Amino acid sequence: MSTNRPGKAAKKAAPKVPAAALPDGFAVGPWLRNFRRRLMTWYGKNARQLPWRQTRDPYRVWISEIMLQQTQVATVIPYFQRFVETLPTVEHLAAVDEQQVLRLWEGLGYYRRARQLHAAAKTIVAEHAGQFPSDQTAIAKLPGIGRYTAAAIASIAFGARAAILEANTRRLYARLLAHRGELESSAAQARLWSFAEHLLPKQDCGTFNQALMELGATICQPRSPQCEACPVAELCPTFALGLQDEIPRAARKVKVEDVREAAVIVRSPAGQVLVLRYEPGQRWAGLWDFVRFPLPESRALEAAYDASHAADAAVDGLPTFLANEVQRRTGYRVAVEPRAIAQIKHPVTRYRITLKAFVAELTGPPDGKQKSTTAVEATQNESTWVDVAQLHHLPLSATGRKLAKLVEKL
Ligand code: SF4
């Protein structure tokens, strides 16, 4: 006869560490309660003091969420502070010119976010009497706001029970589920969203969501996660299996392309410089820049371009090409100096761009009268002449701003 009867101690046993991923039904009650408690306790002691966490004002939560998309927290902080100091309410944002919004955004990149932010502010004023909508569905209808951002605003600002899935939580969920497959498919996304909903507590979802993101951002990092310091390590199957380097599976690598570009700083005899505005639909729509274009595939031109920094290099053909291109794009005839005055290397999405800057002098008065009527492209961008001091007030691309600083010293 067996005498092995469960005693009191066995009934009160602590939740066990799952040796493998949670089942797709996710119904592991003790695990879930333990996870929520550990996460919130950890967050209460370790949350970073960030300017947008001092408030539940939906305007500030919204601005911070948009700025944080694809941008590091440390980069966002000064931009956020300057933005809400200059434009403290949605009405202020809706009332200003897009140029001012872009100038405040300058250097943050992904400028579409700023244009959509401005458009959304106008919608809120026109359709919601200036009150930020509290309903997640209404928030998601605003320009530039997707499922994640709507849920983040609804939960943080209005306490809605809304699940989130963004870069940090996607990685965290994948590890908590020991999800070994890729994460891009719609099936994987559906699984992660479902898990995010499963995790949500009944109340204080805004703080809970921020805690999840904080854990992903500061502990469960992409490379070398700090599992030793992780409050949920005992509940993490990826940690138990030692698979932190394999989960999540790395996305397919994008092939990087090298691109050579030229920026021509065209000066007038009066000391003004020519700038062009990017049109709607272009990557930097609404921003201004010097005359800028990619080099065509041509061995001779590429060789001259690559050598254009050296004082004694042969750069035959390059100044003529650059002058023709300026005329084709702006209508102005110019003489280009053969040596590049600066070189900037910078990545844009999958392109590794080398940008060289050249100086050109206008070969006539900057009054537009000498614009060619035959060589001008029908789609050329709006151009204007400005004093060097005015460059400070125009929203420029990041490289345009670097060149503007050089122009001040010419
Ligand atoms: Fe991430 Fe490691 Fe924590 Fe698991 S134990 S959630 S892998 S930091």
Side-chain angles (χ1 to χ4, degrees):
M1 185 194 261
S2 170
T3 55
N4 281 340
R5 289 184 186 160
K8 275 187 179 177
K11 278 183 192 165
K12 288 191 174 179
K16 289 234 166 89
V17 178
L22 290 168
D24 261 357
F26 304 131
V28 183
W31 185 97
L32 200 52
R33 285 192 292 279
N34 206 358
F35 176 84
R36 290 172 182 154
R37 183 175 49 76
R38 284 167 178 252
L39 176 70
M40 293 301 270
T41 304
W42 171 83
Y43 186 65
K45 293 178 186 161
N46 295 281
R48 289 169 293 176
Q49 295 300 308
L50 302 174
W52 47 88
R53 287 193 180 150
Q54 320 298 325
T55 174
R56 293 198 175 230
D57 173 6
Y59 176 70
R60 281 168 167 71
V61 173
W62 172 45
I63 301 296
S64 69
E65 285 297 333
I66 300 295
M67 285 187 170
L68 286 164
Q69 289 170 7
Q70 290 153 309
T71 311
Q72 302 277 340
V73 164
T75 305
V76 166
I77 289 173
Y79 279 91
F80 173 83
Q81 289 172 322
R82 193 166 51 121
F83 198 97
V84 297
E85 272 167 33
T86 311
L87 305 172
T89 67
V90 72
E91 283 92 350
H92 286 94
L93 174 55
V96 295
D97 189 68
E98 185 186 89
Q99 292 281 288
Q100 192 178 342
V101 182
L102 288 171
R103 184 68 182 91
L104 285 167
W105 204 271
E106 188 188 296
L108 260 189
Y110 301 98
Y111 293 92
R112 190 158 179 260
R113 294 181 297 176
R115 294 190 296 272
Q116 290 186 318
L117 201 69
H118 191 223
K122 290 186 170 192
T123 303
I124 293 168
V125 168
E127 297 178 14
H128 300 277
Q131 294 296 309
F132 205 100
S134 57
D135 173 63
Q136 191 181 346
T137 309
I139 297 172
K141 285 184 181 159
L142 294 170
I145 296 191
R147 180 174 175 181
Y148 157 71
T149 307
I153 297 169
S155 63
I156 296 168
F158 300 107
R161 196 160 184 270
I164 55 155
L165 177 65
E166 42 68 78
N168 288 316
T169 43
R170 184 169 52 224
R171 180 174 61 256
L172 176 66
Y173 300 161
R175 285 174 172 158
L176 291 171
L177 288 168
H179 182 99
R180 297 182 197 222
E182 45 70 45
L183 295 180
E184 282 76 36
S185 72
S186 50
Q189 291 291 304
R191 187 173 188 227
L192 296 178
W193 273 111
S194 173
F195 185 58
E197 280 158 14
H198 186 71
L199 287 179
L200 274 182
K202 288 203 168 62
Q203 54 197 15
D204 207 6
C205 290
T207 308
F208 185 78
N209 282 341
Q210 292 187 83
L212 286 168
M213 289 189 277
E214 190 80 342
L215 185 64
T218 63
I219 300 286
C220 194
Q221 292 159 328
R223 275 182 286 278
S224 308
Q226 300 172 44
C227 301
E228 307 309 327
C230 179
V232 297
E234 287 180 32
L235 303 170
C236 176
T238 294
F239 177 55
L241 297 166
L243 293 175
Q244 298 94 314
D245 292 338
E246 280 100 83
I247 298 174
R249 189 193 286 181
R252 261 175 266 122
K253 278 203 171 149
V254 179
K255 194 165 170 258
V256 176
E257 279 183 45
D258 286 309
V259 175
R260 292 176 177 85
E261 287 188 354
V264 183
I265 298 159
V266 182
R267 295 193 299 188
S268 75
Q272 292 189 304
V273 289
L274 184 63
V275 287
L276 278 67
R277 177 149 61 174
Y278 291 102
E279 301 292 334
Q282 295 181 310
R283 181 190 300 280
W284 291 298
L287 297 177
W288 295 83
D289 209 338
F290 300 97
V291 188
R292 176 173 170 166
F293 43 86
L295 214 67
E297 278 188 29
S298 154
R299 280 204 185 162
L301 276 179
E302 285 170 3
Y305 177 94
D306 292 345
S308 59
H309 250 75
D312 57 349
V315 292
D316 293 349
L318 185 62
T320 306
F321 162 76
L322 296 174
N324 287 343
E325 201 62 21
V326 169
Q327 186 180 357
R328 192 169 76 82
R329 290 167 182 271
T330 69
Y332 289 105
R333 293 194 185 91
V334 299
V336 181
E337 292 176 17
R339 307 288 166 216
I341 62 160
Q343 172 176 287
I344 301 169
K345 292 194 179 233
H346 66 116
V348 176
T349 60
R350 64 187 182 86
Y351 301 103
R352 192 164 40 211
I353 297 175
T354 300
L355 175 70
K356 287 196 177 187
F358 300 83
V359 172
E361 303 296 337
L362 189 69
T363 54
D367 57 7
K369 284 179 188 161
Q370 67 159 27
K371 277 190 170 189
S372 161
T373 53
T374 54
V376 177
E377 282 188 332
T379 56
Q380 68 178 241
N381 292 8
E382 176 191 346
S383 65
T384 190
W385 294 91
V386 295
D387 294 332
V388 172
Q390 279 177 272
L391 290 171
H392 178 72
H393 302 289
L394 293 179
L396 301 177
S397 68
T399 47
R401 180 61 61 201
K402 285 184 183 168
L403 295 181
K405 287 184 179 156
L406 274 179
V407 169
E408 286 171 14
K409 295 177 191 158
L410 284 177

